[in-house]
Amino acid sequence: MTLTLPPAQAARELVDPVLREAVDRLDPHTARVARYHFGWTDASGRPHVAGGKALRPALVVLSGRAAQADVERCLPAAAAVELVHAFSLLHDDVMDDDPVRRHRPSAWTVFGRSEAILGGNALLVLAGELLLEQGTPGSVAAARAVNHATLSLLAGQALDLEFQDRDDVTREECLRMSRHKTASLLACACSIGVTAVAGPAPLAGALAAFGAEAGLAFQLADDLLGIWGSTEVTGKPVLSDLRARKKSLPMVAALTGGTEAGHHLAELLARPGQLTEADLRDAARLVEEAGGRAWAEQEAGRRLDAAARCLSDADMPADVRDEFLRIARFITSRDH
Amino acid sequence: MTLTLPPAQAARELVDPVLREAVDRLDPHTARVARYHFGWTDASGRPHVAGGKALRPALVVLSGRAAQADVERCLPAAAAVELVHAFSLLHDDVMDDDPVRRHRPSAWTVFGRSEAILGGNALLVLAGELLLEQGTPGSVAAARAVNHATLSLLAGQALDLEFQDRDDVTREECLRMSRHKTASLLACACSIGVTAVAGPAPLAGALAAFGAEAGLAFQLADDLLGIWGSTEVTGKPVLSDLRARKKSLPMVAALTGGTEAGHHLAELLARPGQLTEADLRDAARLVEEAGGRAWAEQEAGRRLDAAARCLSDADMPADVRDEFLRIARFITSRDH
């Protein structure tokens, strides 16, 4: 999903040179895939301007400010988290057969599946390397935080795959999957700026807890957009999650709510073959009638409140706290 | 390729508990893939005894002995190198559509492609984590050595993919690819035992150079087996590299040698559709007639000699040096 997040622009400008230098170290084939995926080049390698929302680098930079550290010291961590995010998107698109990413053809459709897998792998290795080469007091802890977040993310992807073959996924299982797949890396982004500068552990802990809750709220919002978002906002065709019969949070809530509409929805999804446009519109209506939309909106609100509570006692500058809360509200708002 | 390497049995027994403990940390889905791939379980998860040759752990343990370090201190590094090797095999089999690994169905055929990709990713992350969690003087340098070897390996895989679409690959390009894809991780295995215990840098350097040369000799021998090896030795159908029209070293040498036989070979490989068994036997004969087999055997010998020279001035116990040389000869011998 794409959004424009004003203060993230600054983070993008800070972290891009670090990312570009890191990608320049790769072999030419892998670097080509990475540059395209990051939106720096088009399919033929010519300079291009696209790119993601730099949400994670913005959170890392903010996390460094929470520890009152010089922003420069957090940039390797900001780049590392963005590299892990890019790795996961490159692989996800291959696994999900997803032809579109950020309004452009996915990297695998341009370079091939194997090339996209290798590109993702290389970015994952670079993430660790960027941190370790710092040789600063917090760099090993930061690298390990990235390792843990990545293992959690992979566990989430494994659950996501498992869910595709099951028709009895519960809301709780789906929340657990999102906690792994989305919230872990956001929790890491919100806290690693502290870790990387060897800042106070309780502050890192509070920010990680905040990131985990805000991350879940973000996933709920993202899942709502996957059904009701416009192409302009999501960079994907409308109703794309329904088209893919994705077990997203509003969908699972609708299917497991015990309503008549949920029952009809299950029947519709069980039909063999591709769903028609009319089917997709029916499905979206049924998710709403079955309470999936309302639950996801309310749950996102509850998670946002929980996120805010995580910061209430954390020792950090007031403007940094406000900015964390503002970003959390922004990424879970309907119009982002 | 499978071989039985007597002293490696000891390395397998030393490193297996470390690997098993590491895999136990993974989410259940990914752990299942990893346990199967390592040969600890069968497809249904029941205990099973299979497994690779533990060549790399044996080299890491030996490398630690070169620095006269306690063997226990090298086991995380031995496990890390084996994890990276396992990661690359899991992904390679997906990319190459290879249905057989070590006489068994490849992991992706049992669990799915996405699951095998995720499993590989998780093992790669675990490799770094096993080293960093040691928190010893050499652990960061060892983790970075693994990062560098992995990036090189990925560059080799990218070259390998590129070669598949080209019919003008030179012998030098093919050697460069093998240096990345195979030799880098073996160079890492031969030296990381020294690095992990913060041993002398010149010793690590000499062992890395040895491993790079021996690794190239190993790849040459492996490529010879890919054409002329028996199923019993390789764990794959006979002539499997020819069946896949793989641009292996003897093949490229045959194609680029300017001989009549090389010309016929190129014509045969250019035929559309699957090659018949008779075609494959013809192809093997043509590689030999075009001098590909003789060149690869001689080149392996030259690399083995170069490997030995790398150790001639290195400061290490004589029995360790002898053992390195013995392993290098063994893995490049025709009957392994």
Side-chain angles (χ1 to χ4, degrees):
Chain A
M1 307 279 159
T2 302
L3 56 84
T4 43
L5 183 66
Q9 186 55 31
R12 165 68 64 220
E13 279 163 24
L14 285 166
V15 85
D16 253 12
V18 184
L19 285 173
R20 284 176 187 263
E21 186 278 323
V23 168
D24 284 346
R25 304 179 198 181
L26 298 177
D27 70 275
H29 302 93
T30 312
R32 214 158 59 104
V33 177
R35 290 190 189 108
Y36 174 84
H37 178 70
F38 278 121
W40 304 333
T41 56
D42 64 16
S44 58
R46 279 187 293 264
H48 178 79
V49 181
K53 50 191 173 285
L55 165 63
R56 289 160 194 79
L59 292 170
V60 176
V61 167
L62 199 52
S63 151
R65 283 179 53 204
Q68 307 191 46
D70 181 20
V71 69
E72 292 290 325
R73 292 171 63 200
C74 306
L75 295 185
V81 171
E82 192 68 351
L83 285 165
V84 172
H85 181 53
F87 142 79
S88 79
L89 297 183
L90 275 164
H91 280 203
D92 259 13
D93 287 343
V94 171
M95 294 181 198
D96 298 345
D97 243 347
D98 208 332
V100 176
R101 167 69 57 192
R102 293 171 183 155
H103 306 271
R104 301 200 307 161
S106 307
W108 69 267
T109 69
V110 177
F111 301 101
R113 289 174 184 275
S114 298
E115 288 77 0
I117 295 171
L118 286 179
N121 294 343
L123 299 187
L124 178 59
V125 176
L126 274 183
E129 185 58 15
L130 279 191
L131 291 164
L132 293 183
E133 70 186 3
Q134 301 304 310
T136 50
S139 56
V140 171
R144 295 191 64 194
V146 167
N147 285 345
H148 296 162
T150 307
L151 286 175
S152 185
L153 186 158
L154 294 170
Q157 288 175 317
L159 278 174
D160 201 5
L161 289 174
E162 191 215 327
F163 289 177
Q164 287 171 18
D165 303 327
R166 282 177 47 194
D167 57 6
D168 62 346
V169 177
T170 66
R171 224 164 55 180
E172 282 60 41
E173 285 182 306
C174 204
L175 282 168
R176 185 157 66 91
M177 186 271 282
S178 298
R179 229 173 257 127
H180 282 297
K181 188 167 169 169
T182 306
S184 294
L185 191 60
L186 282 167
C188 178
C190 290
S191 55
I192 197 173
V194 180
T195 309
V197 301
L203 177 58
L207 286 170
F210 163 82
E213 295 290 355
L216 214 46
F218 175 58
Q219 187 59 59
L220 285 152
D222 207 55
D223 282 358
L224 287 163
L225 285 173
I227 301 179
W228 292 283
S230 68
T231 296
E232 203 181 308
V233 170
T234 65
K236 306 222 172 219
V238 285
L239 305 166
S240 62
D241 280 1
L242 295 177
R243 208 179 301 271
R245 292 179 167 87
K246 197 176 148 187
K247 302 228 168 54
S248 69
L249 285 155
M251 168 70 83
V252 169
L255 288 171
T256 58
T259 64
E260 186 78 6
H263 197 72
H264 288 315
L265 179 63
E267 284 172 352
L268 197 159
L269 293 174
R271 282 189 205 156
Q274 260 203 325
L275 297 174
T276 66
E277 295 300 311
D279 287 340
L280 297 175
R281 283 189 299 273
D282 276 350
R285 183 179 50 76
L286 288 168
V287 176
E288 186 152 4
E289 280 180 25
R293 184 174 193 166
W295 172 79
E297 287 172 352
Q298 288 156 12
E299 185 68 16
R302 283 190 290 269
R303 295 299 169 173
L304 212 49
D305 291 344
R309 283 195 298 276
C310 293
L311 295 194
S312 58
D313 292 330
D315 184 17
M316 72 180 96
D319 65 320
V320 174
R321 183 197 323 266
D322 290 347
E323 182 64 11
F324 268 121
L325 295 173
R326 196 193 68 76
I327 292 180
R329 276 193 305 270
F330 184 76
I331 62 177
T332 52
S333 70
R334 262 180 250 160
D335 46 68
H336 70 248
Chain B
M1 306 280 157
T2 302
L3 58 84
T4 42
L5 182 67
Q9 187 52 32
R12 166 67 66 221
E13 279 164 23
L14 286 165
V15 84
D16 253 13
V18 183
L19 285 172
R20 283 175 188 263
E21 185 279 323
V23 168
D24 284 346
R25 304 179 198 181
L26 299 177
D27 70 275
H29 302 92
T30 311
R32 214 158 58 105
V33 177
R35 289 190 191 107
Y36 174 83
H37 178 70
F38 278 120
W40 304 333
T41 56
D42 64 16
S44 58
R46 278 186 294 264
H48 177 79
V49 181
K53 51 190 171 283
L55 165 63
R56 289 159 193 80
L59 291 170
V60 176
V61 167
L62 199 52
S63 151
R65 281 179 54 205
Q68 306 190 46
D70 181 19
V71 68
E72 291 291 323
R73 292 171 62 200
C74 306
L75 296 184
V81 171
E82 192 69 351
L83 285 165
V84 172
H85 181 53
F87 142 78
S88 78
L89 297 182
L90 275 164
H91 280 203
D92 259 14
D93 287 343
V94 171
M95 294 181 197
D96 298 345
D97 243 347
D98 209 331
V100 176
R101 168 68 57 193
R102 294 171 183 155
H103 308 269
R104 302 200 306 161
S106 307
W108 70 267
T109 69
V110 177
F111 301 101
R113 289 175 184 274
S114 298
E115 288 77 1
I117 294 171
L118 287 179
N121 294 342
L123 299 188
L124 178 59
V125 176
L126 274 184
E129 185 57 14
L130 279 191
L131 290 164
L132 293 182
E133 69 186 4
Q134 301 304 310
T136 51
S139 57
V140 172
R144 295 191 62 195
V146 167
N147 284 345
H148 296 162
T150 306
L151 286 175
S152 185
L153 186 158
L154 294 170
Q157 288 175 315
L159 278 175
D160 202 5
L161 289 175
E162 191 216 327
F163 289 177
Q164 287 171 17
D165 302 328
R166 282 176 50 194
D167 56 7
D168 63 345
V169 177
T170 66
R171 224 163 55 180
E172 284 60 41
E173 286 182 307
C174 204
L175 281 168
R176 185 156 65 92
M177 185 271 280
S178 299
R179 229 174 258 128
H180 282 298
K181 188 166 169 170
T182 307
S184 295
L185 192 61
L186 282 167
C188 178
C190 289
S191 55
I192 197 172
V194 179
T195 309
V197 301
L203 178 59
L207 286 170
F210 163 83
E213 295 290 356
L216 215 46
F218 175 59
Q219 187 58 59
L220 285 152
D222 207 54
D223 282 359
L224 287 163
L225 285 174
I227 302 179
W228 292 283
S230 67
T231 296
E232 202 181 305
V233 170
T234 65
K236 305 225 173 217
V238 285
L239 305 165
S240 62
D241 280 2
L242 295 176
R243 209 178 301 270
R245 292 181 169 86
K246 195 175 149 188
K247 301 225 170 54
S248 69
L249 285 156
M251 170 70 83
V252 169
L255 288 171
T256 59
T259 63
E260 187 78 5
H263 197 73
H264 288 315
L265 179 63
E267 284 172 352
L268 197 159
L269 293 174
R271 282 189 204 154
Q274 260 202 325
L275 297 173
T276 66
E277 295 301 311
D279 288 339
L280 297 175
R281 282 190 299 272
D282 277 349
R285 183 180 49 75
L286 288 168
V287 175
E288 186 153 5
E289 279 180 27
R293 184 173 192 167
W295 172 80
E297 286 172 352
Q298 288 155 14
E299 185 68 16
R302 283 190 290 270
R303 296 298 171 175
L304 211 48
D305 291 344
R309 282 195 299 275
C310 294
L311 295 195
S312 58
D313 292 331
D315 184 17
M316 72 180 94
D319 65 318
V320 174
R321 184 198 320 267
D322 290 346
E323 183 65 11
F324 268 122
L325 295 174
R326 197 194 67 76
I327 293 181
R329 276 194 305 270
F330 184 76
I331 62 177
T332 53
S333 69
R334 262 179 247 159
D335 45 69
H336 72 247

